[in-house]
Amino acid sequence: MIDLKNDFPILSKKIYGKRLVYLDNAATSHKPSSVIDTISDFYRSDYSNIHRGVHYLSEISSDKYENARKKVSKFIGTSDPSEITFTAGTTDSINQVACSLKSILKGNEVLISGMEHHSNIVPWQLAGAKIKTIPMDDECNLLVDSIEITDKIKLIAISHASNVLGSVNPIKEITEIAKENDIPVLVDAAQSIQHLPLDVEEIGCDFLAASGHKMYAATGIGILYTSERFSDIMPARGGGGMIDKVTLESTTYLSPPLRYEAGTPNIAGAISVGAAIDYMQDIGLDKIRRHEHKVYSHARKRLLETDGLKVYGNNEDMCGSISFNLDNIHHYDTGLILDKMGIAVRTGHHCAQPLMGSLGTEGTVRASFALYNTKEDVDMLMEGIEKVRMMYS
Ligand SMILES: *Cc1c(COP(=O)(O)O)cnc(C)c1O
């Protein structure tokens, strides 16, 4: 068992005098000292705007920013850093794709799963597309064989791992179907980039979106991978830094990635993503995955053994999140009582109201894990759940 809590300053904080058991990592994860130091060192000694100046600090800042882009591109398996755009987050990445593809999507359909986060639903609706869903079984697993492709479907947009259930979706099977029908695929990797190996070329998707803040980096920074095939789509945003030539009549744009990064980007945020990738790679991705798998399986096993507790979803491949409810106890009450014991979980619909409809509940309690969680954290959660139950019996 690895215990990385000492790398994360906030995890030594006492909550109501108790040790913090942070199980809300699907909402956001904490930052290791190495990431915090990278951000503060950058502002202290290297900071300037990028790609604009010829001066010393601007060159250092530009190098660091572009170096972060290279790290991201390697981390998700592209050989070409120009396929990586820095955005403000997963939501922003998806909205940018929706905006760029608007003329194709308008009046047509986007095929998604029934477990998508609102940020993989609403942008398509704003672009004027109708939403279709891939059928699911009783345990919320996608029935890929039941996918019906029509001419109306112009994009498949699918989460790699569910932020509610933790189920890992068969994205490779989906991209294969998409390829046969020449439909582009967007993968929402907000809940997988920090847990699973990601290789966009192997997955065969055209777009992939993720957030820095869920992978131990800063807030307000996101990643958008765009395959070379889509390298000349219309930019969603216009402004400085993305143009080749501007006249009052018309404008030509730079090549990607700068084409998609109008305005001053979140420079420190991008650099923090690079530092977070370094942090994970220094520990070893395999080691992290093995550890997370042990903790996650322990949590699932203990929750499933608990009488009067319903666990939602069941897939042979799961990571990150587990959702449950205690019989006759509102999810919000469970969350409030756990909080008083220093245990941070999320309650509610988790930005996935359509999925809540399928589960037949308004909300769940969600425990979600990061590399710093341990089996002891799970045991504390289980003690907490016992106490909640006693209070209500
Ligand atoms: C968190 C999350 C998002 C949105 O990410 P932001 O960082 O809030 O933009 C999208 N999809 C999934 C699956 C998520 O978990």
Side-chain angles (χ1 to χ4, degrees):
M1 272 280 132
I2 47 173
D3 191 343
L4 299 162
K5 285 197 167 69
N6 288 337
D7 293 346
F8 293 77
I10 206 170
L11 297 180
S12 59
K13 197 177 161 77
K14 293 268 186 293
I15 306 288
Y16 309 117
K18 306 203 167 62
R19 170 166 95 72
L20 167 63
V21 178
Y22 186 80
L23 298 175
D24 192 18
N25 294 287
T28 200
S29 62
H30 287 298
K31 323 301 169 200
S33 296
S34 62
V35 168
I36 298 169
D37 292 346
T38 298
I39 297 169
S40 96
D41 289 349
F42 173 64
Y43 281 121
R44 277 175 206 282
S45 50
D46 302 321
Y47 177 73
S48 256
N49 210 333
I50 56 167
H51 302 317
R52 287 171 174 80
V54 287
H55 62 82
Y56 183 82
L57 288 179
S58 173
E59 297 224 335
I60 292 190
S61 296
S62 304
D63 282 352
K64 293 204 162 195
Y65 182 80
E66 289 308 324
N67 199 25
R69 194 193 309 277
K70 283 186 197 134
K71 283 180 190 166
V72 172
S73 87
K74 272 209 191 115
F75 193 64
I76 65 166
T78 77
S79 38
D80 183 359
S82 72
E83 294 176 328
I84 304 297
T85 308
F86 284 116
T87 65
T90 305
T91 306
D92 186 41
S93 295
I94 298 176
N95 275 278
Q96 288 200 33
V97 175
C99 187
S100 294
L101 300 182
K102 197 167 182 167
S103 60
I104 304 166
L105 298 179
K106 199 163 180 221
N108 283 306
E109 294 171 358
V110 175
L111 182 68
I112 66 169
S113 82
M115 65 182 88
E116 295 308 317
H117 189 282
H118 296 159
S119 67
N120 196 18
I121 302 173
V122 185
W124 313 122
Q125 293 171 332
L126 286 171
K130 219 173 138 178
I131 301 293
K132 284 279 146 97
T133 58
I134 300 172
M136 296 194 287
D137 68 15
D138 295 345
E139 290 176 319
C140 297
N141 296 317
L142 301 185
L143 298 170
V144 175
D145 293 339
S146 311
I147 292 179
E148 281 178 32
I149 298 292
T150 65
D151 289 347
K152 283 248 151 204
I153 297 173
K154 299 298 177 197
L155 179 77
I156 302 178
I158 196 96
S159 52
H160 191 185
S162 159
N163 68 313
V164 178
L165 309 167
S167 331
V168 177
N169 288 320
I171 45 171
K172 177 95 183 121
E173 285 172 51
I174 294 171
T175 55
E176 271 159 21
I177 296 172
K179 271 211 187 89
E180 282 162 23
N181 293 280
D182 201 23
I183 299 171
V185 176
L186 175 141
V187 172
D188 173 349
Q191 297 297 344
S192 61
I193 194 167
Q194 66 283 55
H195 299 301
L196 302 174
L198 265 192
D199 184 328
V200 285
E201 282 170 14
E202 205 225 278
I203 295 167
C205 56
D206 298 286
F207 304 97
L208 181 133
S211 294
H213 70 98
K214 294 179 180 177
M215 55 181 291
Y216 315 109
T219 50
I221 185 77
I223 295 164
L224 174 61
Y225 158 78
T226 304
S227 71
E228 212 226 319
R229 190 153 92 93
F230 286 89
S231 58
D232 59 354
I233 53 175
M234 282 297 280
R237 306 217 167 106
M242 51 80 75
I243 56 89
D244 171 36
K245 186 156 181 48
V246 179
T247 66
L248 296 181
E249 288 70 41
S250 69
T251 294
T252 53
Y253 314 115
L254 291 177
S255 305
L258 298 186
R259 178 190 181 95
Y260 302 119
E261 291 180 356
T264 300
N266 183 349
I267 308 165
I271 292 169
S272 81
V273 173
I277 290 173
D278 287 343
Y279 175 74
M280 289 187 272
Q281 283 177 333
D282 286 348
I283 298 164
L285 298 179
D286 286 342
K287 199 166 157 188
I288 293 171
R289 269 159 211 141
R290 277 198 304 276
H291 169 75
E292 288 189 347
H293 184 70
K294 273 187 211 153
V295 174
Y296 188 88
S297 308
H298 182 59
R300 219 180 136 72
K301 178 166 169 285
R302 290 217 52 193
L303 286 165
L304 284 168
E305 281 168 1
T306 307
D307 289 333
L309 184 148
K310 179 169 175 54
V311 179
Y312 298 95
N314 179 28
N315 189 301
E316 43 189 60
D317 198 1
M318 306 189 91
C319 69
S321 300
I322 307 182
S323 266
F324 58 91
N325 266 321
L326 285 155
D327 286 353
N328 307 320
I329 305 176
H330 197 274
H331 47 88
Y332 183 69
D333 294 329
T334 305
L336 269 186
I337 300 168
L338 289 174
D339 172 58
K340 293 292 177 291
M341 297 179 234
I343 303 168
V345 293
R346 180 73 157 243
T347 69
H349 56 62
H350 317 294
C351 300
Q353 285 177 351
L355 174 62
M356 294 300 128
S358 308
L359 298 176
T361 178
E362 267 175 27
T364 68
V365 182
R366 178 184 70 187
S368 55
F369 300 89
L371 52 75
Y372 41 70
N373 290 119
T374 56
K375 282 188 177 177
E376 286 74 52
D377 292 337
V378 174
D379 296 338
M380 307 265 287
L381 170 70
M382 298 313 299
E383 267 177 45
I385 288 173
E386 247 351 279
K387 284 197 187 139
V388 174
R389 237 205 333 209
M390 267 154 40
M391 288 176 69
Y392 277 82
S393 64

